[in-house]
């Protein structure tokens, strides 16, 4: 990465930081305002990034200068917003000699209340009768340092261990993300080739390809990668997109815990459990897309939950629309959770509107002297009844409109190409469930659960799988039915090994499930003051899981597809575990109380579970695949090129061998022959021109009916992956074909 690329890469990060300062709630009692500001900044930046790609793509201007100008303008706008915020806040600043109330906000995710004090309800007015102090951007760094110092000073030993563990895991993930080359399997096949095609052609038009996922799978995460690719000229920072999404998931999950009434300890437990989940730790160093999707879903959740107790402002409505659109354009499965969240938000807002209407109608009725006979209300009273409901309806329409603005252009291209917004039939039939009878849904849910909760204990895995297979056959469902099983995969598969694509999450998943069930059935055991919100949130989480198992087929790598639901559910685990510890704390102060031994054992069990979770996270980063800190394939001892091929080390030399022959031939226009799951990205790296420009790679096959493939006679050379017979069929007569185990090339006579 060049010095200019490094400088340009700072623009998005600086913009997010400035927007976080500018969008911090002003003069309100918003809960965890810093994290709320981070959510707002992330959504605004994400929506802007997507729209920049769409607009510049429509103008055939996907170029480095155009993107640099776009980010300079955005940075200027963010800086202007900070300046305006500073000017607005300056008159409100008043010197004071009173000691400010300490706010226990940790450096990473610990904003909120103390572990001993319940989180106050989120409302329109100030908490405790005092208005929040205005934000002064010029002293942000000093205030953050002071608050972090105060939080650390007032934290207990356990809270310090949790905060330190979270920070350590996040820093280790950052180290791996910076040192490791992108080597995710799907990224080699379609995530990163998609980006390279856009760069090469300068627009978003579809292209002939044998890999339909390059054009049919929603491209939201790849849009973000495109910005880094054009700004830096390479893929050195590509892993940071998922790393940043992981950090955002931690921040938002902790804020949701605070919204559920959790204090500082509960928030730290939530973030710790999530950070130490192997799937999260491994994906945070990857170019996959699941954490990006989970981050947008979590943003939608925290904004929707704010609307449970107070009327939502138009800014938050726009944020909900942006979160919905970003989820849809990144991974449509995330909408399975966003849908119930928006329903919860709409019902809560309607309830608040009707309550406000009743309050407004009562004095209006008295003013009109309405007695038992029931005289008609005045025009003003009727208007007061209609206006709040109209506001909710308008807000709902605005959410959908903003979402359509973000995801609409992509859906329009897909519809124009395939006649359906969800793509070709092979995509619509491969992943979604094709049977929806209760028995099939039950079997699918049990298989998904078996894979998600897999452990290294082989007898347990075998016994569970045998029970599911036997039960399925007993109720007349084939456990390998293609209508409920992806492709040709066969259930069961081991999923405990820390592999980014399929690793199970038995600890976090079990804690989340138990927390959701307790919140649903006995929410008062967690927090009597938050019984309603806890139960409502548990209903949403469980509804999302049920919908997922009803709509998505089982597949060996299905654990990463349900990651968004895990991120949503972990706050319930944090609240439940904190309640267990709180009862233990109460018992310690009252040793003569009933249930002393049982509660002490429960507290010890929580500590053991958290320690085990920490060990799982550390082992995942240390020995996980395909990026690890130690052992064979370590990011410290493995070369850049070999790191890219840790999934398939035997292919590394073959790609270089074929690319060297093609480069030596002087070929300019190169044909591609590949299958749907073959690696294309190495060709874009190896055949890049000396001046850094993209090679001219054209596909000799196409699964897009309206995009015919290139004529083999029109290319100067052919490179092939996967199948020698398929390659031989497309090589013109008289050409020389060389093929090894996986990779081959063909050259015309004289080259």
């Amino acid at each position: 990465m060049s010095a200019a690329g490094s400088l340009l890469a700072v623009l998005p990060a600086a913009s997010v930081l400035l927007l976080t300062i500018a969008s911090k709630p002003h003069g309100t009692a918003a809960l965890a305002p810093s994290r709320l500001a981070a959510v707002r900044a992330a959504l605004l930046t994400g929506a802007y990034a997507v729209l920049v790609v769409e607009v510049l793509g429509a103008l055939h201007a996907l170029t480095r200068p155009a993107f640099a100008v776009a980010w300079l303008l955005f940075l200027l706008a963010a800086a202007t917003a900070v300046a305006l915020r500073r000017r607005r806040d300056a008159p409100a600043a008043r010197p004071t000699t009173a000691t400010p109330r300490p706010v226990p906000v940790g450096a990473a995710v610990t904003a909120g209340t103390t572990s001993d004090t319940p989180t106050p309800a989120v409302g329109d007015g100030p908490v405790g009768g005092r208005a929040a102090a205005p934000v002064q951007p010029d002293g942000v760094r000093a205030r953050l340092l002071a608050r972090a110092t105060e939080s650390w000073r007032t934290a207990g030993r356990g809270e310090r261990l949790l905060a330190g563990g979270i920070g350590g895991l996040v820093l280790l993930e950052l180290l791996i993300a910076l040192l490791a080359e992108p080597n995710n399997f799907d990224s080699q096949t379609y995530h990163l080739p998609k980006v390279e095609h856009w760069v090469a052609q300068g627009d978003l038009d579809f292209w002939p390809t044998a890999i339909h996922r390059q054009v049919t799978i929603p491209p939201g995460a790849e849009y973000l990668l495109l910005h880094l690719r054009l700004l830096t000229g390479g893929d050195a920072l590509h892993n940071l997109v998922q790393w940043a999404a992981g950090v955002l998931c931690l921040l938002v999950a902790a804020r949701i815990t605070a919204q559920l009434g959790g204090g500082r300890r509960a928030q730290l437990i939530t973030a710790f459990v999530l950070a130490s989940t192997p799937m999260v730790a491994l994906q945070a160093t990857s170019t996959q897309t699941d954490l990006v999707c989970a981050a947008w879903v979590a943003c939608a959740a925290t904004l929707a939950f704010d609307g449970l107790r107070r009327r939502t402002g138009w800014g938050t409505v726009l944020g909900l629309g942006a979160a919905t659109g970003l989820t849809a354009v990144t991974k449509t499965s995330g909408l399975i959770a966003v849908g119930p969240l928006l329903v919860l938000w709409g019902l809560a807002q309607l309830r608040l509107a009707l309550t406000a209407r009743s309050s407004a109608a009562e004095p209006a009725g008295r003013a009109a002297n309405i007695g038992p006979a029931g005289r008609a209300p005045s025009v003003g009273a009727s208007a007061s009844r209609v206006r709040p409901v109209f506001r909710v309806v308008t807000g709902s329409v605005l959410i959908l409109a903003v979402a359509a603005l973000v995801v609409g252009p992509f859906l329009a291209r897909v519809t124009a190409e395939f006649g359906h917004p969800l793509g070709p039939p092979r995509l619509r039939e491969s992943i979604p469930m094709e049977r929806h009878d209760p028995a099939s849904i039950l079997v699918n849910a049990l298989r998904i659960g078996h894979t998600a909760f897999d452990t290294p204990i082989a007898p347990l895995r075998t016994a569970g799988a045998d029970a599911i297979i036997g039960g399925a056959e007993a109720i007349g469902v084939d456990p390998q039915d293609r209508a409920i099983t992806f492709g040709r995969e066969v259930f069961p598969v081991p999923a405990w090994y820390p592999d980014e694509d399929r690793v199970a999450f038995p600890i976090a998943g079990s804690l989340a499930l138990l927390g959701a069930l307790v919140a649903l059935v006995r929410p008062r055991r967690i927090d009597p003051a938050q019984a309603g919100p806890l139960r409502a949130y548990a209903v949403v989480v469980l509804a999302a899981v049920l919908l997922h198992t009803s709509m998505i087929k089982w597949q060996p790598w299905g654990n990463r597809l349900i990651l968004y639901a895990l991120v949503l559910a972990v706050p319930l685990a944090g609240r439940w575990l904190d309640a267990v510890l709180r009862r233990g704390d109460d018992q310690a102060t009252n040793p003569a109380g009933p249930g002393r031994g049982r509660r002490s054992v429960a507290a010890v069990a929580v500590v053991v579970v958290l320690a085990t979770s920490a060990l799982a996270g550390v082992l995942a980063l240390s020995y996980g695949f395909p990026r690890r800190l130690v052992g064979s394939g370590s990011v410290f001892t493995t070369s850049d090129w070999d790191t890219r091929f840790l999934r398939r080390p035997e292919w590394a030399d073959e790609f270089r061998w074929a690319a060297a022959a093609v480069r030596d031939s002087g070929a300019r226009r190169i044909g591609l022959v590949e299958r749907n799951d073959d690696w294309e990205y190495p060709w874009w790296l190896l055949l890049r021109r000396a001046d850094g420009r993209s090679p001219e790679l054209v596909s000799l096959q196409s699964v897009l009916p309206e995009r015919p493939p290139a004529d083999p006679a029109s290319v100067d050379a052919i490179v092939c992956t996967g199948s020698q017979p398929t390659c031989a069929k497309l090589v013109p007569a008289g050409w020389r074909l060389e093929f090894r185990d996986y990779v081959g090339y063909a050259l015309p006579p004289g080259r």
Side-chain angles (χ1 to χ4, degrees), residues 501-543:
D501 284 336
R502 64 174 65 188
V503 62
F505 32 80
I507 297 176
S510 298
L511 294 175
L513 180 59
L514 289 172
L517 291 177
V518 174
L520 180 67
V521 178
R522 302 189 67 180
R524 294 185 179 277
R525 287 187 62 84
I526 297 178
D527 190 342
Q530 300 288 332
L534 283 165
R535 179 170 284 154
Y537 191 74
V539 168
V540 169
V541 169
L542 293 174

Side-chain angles (χ1 to χ4, degrees), residues 311 346-362 381 384-393:
R311 302 287 296 280
L347 292 176
Q349 290 294 292
L350 189 60
R351 176 182 62 82
L352 293 172
L354 293 175
T355 301
R357 184 186 72 177
S358 299
S359 300
E362 182 179 353
S384 67
R385 295 179 180 181
V386 173
R387 192 177 299 113
V389 177
F390 178 76
R391 179 185 174 93
V392 175
V393 174

Side-chain angles (χ1 to χ4, degrees), residues 136-350:
Q136 296 296 326
D138 53 341
V140 168
R141 184 167 59 180
R143 283 196 303 279
L144 287 177
L145 180 60
R147 293 167 67 183
T149 302
E150 177 65 17
S151 296
W152 187 261
R153 186 184 64 81
T154 59
R157 180 183 302 175
E159 292 175 341
R160 292 182 180 182
L161 286 174
L162 290 170
I166 296 165
L169 289 169
V170 168
L171 290 177
L172 284 177
E173 292 163 4
L174 176 60
L175 177 65
I176 297 174
L178 290 172
L179 292 179
E181 311 304 310
N183 61 359
N184 173 261
F185 194 103
D186 284 348
S187 296
Q188 306 280 10
T189 299
Y190 68 96
H191 290 312
L192 300 185
K194 186 185 302 187
V195 174
E196 295 300 326
H197 276 287
W198 294 333
V199 173
Q201 62 191 33
D203 56 40
L204 300 175
D205 290 345
F206 291 161
W207 53 89
T209 179
I211 304 174
H212 76 88
R213 291 174 294 173
Q214 291 183 358
V215 296
T216 57
I217 299 293
E222 291 91 338
Y223 281 174
L224 304 181
L225 293 176
L226 176 62
H227 285 268
L228 289 178
R229 168 65 176 85
L230 287 172
L231 293 177
T232 66
D235 61 11
L237 300 183
H238 278 10
N239 292 331
L240 293 186
V241 171
Q242 281 260 107
W243 178 82
V247 172
L248 184 58
C249 285
L250 299 181
L251 294 173
V252 179
R255 184 173 192 267
I256 293 173
T257 306
Q259 291 173 292
L260 292 171
R264 179 169 61 188
R265 185 172 63 188
Q267 296 171 52
L268 283 169
I269 291 173
T270 295
F272 183 83
V273 170
L274 190 59
S276 58
T277 300
M279 176 66 77
V280 174
L282 291 171
Q283 286 233 3
T285 65
S286 169
T287 47
Q288 263 293 5
T289 62
D290 304 286
L291 269 181
V292 178
C293 173
W296 299 137
V297 172
C299 288
T302 194
L303 293 181
F305 210 69
D306 271 345
L308 217 60
R309 288 175 171 153
R310 67 178 180 186
R311 302 287 296 280
T312 298
W314 294 114
T316 301
V317 169
L318 294 176
L320 282 169
T324 303
L326 288 169
T327 301
V329 81
T330 301
K331 216 174 188 71
T332 51
S333 57
L335 294 176
I336 294 174
V338 173
L341 286 168
L342 292 180
V343 170
L344 175 65
W345 172 85
L347 292 176
Q349 290 294 292
L350 189 60

Side-chain angles (χ1 to χ4, degrees), residues 34 40 84 123 192 209 296 298 452 482 488 501 516 574 654 681 723:
S34 296
R40 293 173 174 176
L84 293 175
L192 300 185
T209 179
W296 299 137
R482 297 302 103 189
R488 300 179 180 178
D501 284 336
E654 292 192 21
Y681 186 59
S723 171

Side-chain angles (χ1 to χ4, degrees), residues 277-631:
T277 300
M279 176 66 77
V280 174
L282 291 171
Q283 286 233 3
T285 65
S286 169
T287 47
Q288 263 293 5
T289 62
D290 304 286
L291 269 181
V292 178
C293 173
W296 299 137
V297 172
C299 288
T302 194
L303 293 181
F305 210 69
D306 271 345
L308 217 60
R309 288 175 171 153
R310 67 178 180 186
R311 302 287 296 280
T312 298
W314 294 114
T316 301
V317 169
L318 294 176
L320 282 169
T324 303
L326 288 169
T327 301
V329 81
T330 301
K331 216 174 188 71
T332 51
S333 57
L335 294 176
I336 294 174
V338 173
L341 286 168
L342 292 180
V343 170
L344 175 65
W345 172 85
L347 292 176
Q349 290 294 292
L350 189 60
R351 176 182 62 82
L352 293 172
L354 293 175
T355 301
R357 184 186 72 177
S358 299
S359 300
E362 182 179 353
R366 286 198 301 265
N369 296 319
I370 297 178
R375 286 162 50 181
S378 66
V379 175
S382 300
S384 67
R385 295 179 180 181
V386 173
R387 192 177 299 113
V389 177
F390 178 76
R391 179 185 174 93
V392 175
V393 174
T394 303
S396 302
V397 173
L398 184 57
I399 290 173
L400 297 178
V402 173
L405 178 65
V406 174
V407 71
F410 168 71
L411 293 181
R413 288 193 299 274
V414 173
T415 303
E417 190 72 30
F418 301 104
H420 195 286
L422 297 181
R426 64 183 300 176
L427 179 63
R428 303 197 304 270
E429 297 169 1
S430 61
I431 297 177
M433 287 273 286
E434 298 177 80
R435 289 181 57 178
H436 298 92
D437 56 284
S440 296
I441 293 174
L442 175 61
V443 172
N444 193 54
L446 291 174
R447 295 182 306 164
I448 290 175
H450 181 274
T451 305
F453 293 96
D454 190 24
T455 70
I457 306 173
L460 181 61
R461 179 191 314 119
T462 302
D466 289 344
I468 293 173
I469 292 173
E473 293 173 347
I475 61 176
V477 177
D478 180 3
Q480 315 299 346
D481 187 354
R482 297 302 103 189
I484 61 174
T485 305
F486 180 85
R488 300 179 180 178
E489 305 300 329
V490 177
F491 173 83
V493 295
W496 64 268
Y497 185 77
D499 183 306
E500 65 174 354
D501 284 336
R502 64 174 65 188
V503 62
F505 32 80
I507 297 176
S510 298
L511 294 175
L513 180 59
L514 289 172
L517 291 177
V518 174
L520 180 67
V521 178
R522 302 189 67 180
R524 294 185 179 277
R525 287 187 62 84
I526 297 178
D527 190 342
Q530 300 288 332
L534 283 165
R535 179 170 284 154
Y537 191 74
V539 168
V540 169
V541 169
L542 293 174
V545 173
L546 178 60
L547 288 172
H548 184 98
T549 56
S550 303
M551 299 172 66
I552 305 297
K553 293 177 179 178
W554 174 88
Q555 47 194 286
W557 42 88
N559 289 341
R560 64 180 180 82
L561 300 184
I562 203 169
L563 184 59
Y564 69 89
L566 179 69
V567 172
L568 284 186
V570 167
L572 293 171
R575 286 294 281 122
W576 173 58
L577 292 175
D578 180 64
V580 173
L581 292 175
R582 187 173 63 248
R583 288 195 294 271
D585 295 340
D586 295 341
Q587 182 61 37
T589 60
N590 183 23
R596 174 181 56 186
R598 184 185 63 222
R599 289 171 181 171
S600 298
V601 170
V604 171
V606 169
V607 174
V608 171
V609 168
L610 293 178
T612 306
S613 183
L615 179 62
V618 171
L619 289 177
L621 291 176
S622 300
Y623 298 100
F625 197 74
R627 291 166 301 281
R628 57 177 54 172
L629 288 170
V630 297

